[in-house]
Amino acid sequence: MGKLSTHVLDITQGKPGAGVKVALYAVGAQGRTLIKTDVTNADGRCSAPLLEGETMKAGKYELVFGAGDYFASQGVELPEPRFIDEVTIAFGVAGAEQNYHVPLVVSPWAYSTYRGS
């Protein structure tokens, strides 16, 4: 079986985004259902896969990252309201037997993602 993982890279400081709150939602016809919450470790990663084994299923998901709170905790001066606050990445898992890695590369002004493995 596959797994789902993530990590956060703070491109403002050139380091892993440690202490970022992460929420994973399944998205279906009835809306979003919270599956798991976590906080990134010193390496900017969640300590365990967000989905694996029997919990890894094909479908639509959203990862929500607390980027604005992270930058505020780093002492970054942010406007009010914040330009980048919560970052939501909506993605699909087509093959539950595959590994999906969904990283967030972020600054207070921009973000990017890609599918890793």
Side-chain angles (χ1 to χ4, degrees), residues 63-85:
L63 278 168
V64 180
F65 298 88
D69 288 345
Y70 163 77
F71 285 114
S73 76
Q74 298 295 300
V76 176
E77 188 173 326
L78 301 169
E80 187 58 45
R82 298 169 179 166
F83 182 71
I84 299 291
D85 194 16

Side-chain angles (χ1 to χ4, degrees), residues 48-117:
L50 297 168
L51 297 173
E52 66 181 331
E54 295 300 317
T55 64
M56 183 69 173
K57 298 177 181 169
K60 293 182 179 181
Y61 295 91
E62 289 181 0
L63 278 168
V64 180
F65 298 88
D69 288 345
Y70 163 77
F71 285 114
S73 76
Q74 298 295 300
V76 176
E77 188 173 326
L78 301 169
E80 187 58 45
R82 298 169 179 166
F83 182 71
I84 299 291
D85 194 16
E86 285 191 335
V87 175
T88 301
I89 300 173
F91 64 98
V93 170
E97 71 287 351
Q98 299 175 23
N99 291 333
Y100 285 75
H101 185 69
V102 184
L104 175 66
V105 180
V106 66
S107 82
W109 310 108
Y111 65 89
S112 180
T113 192
Y114 56 91
R115 181 187 170 189
S117 60

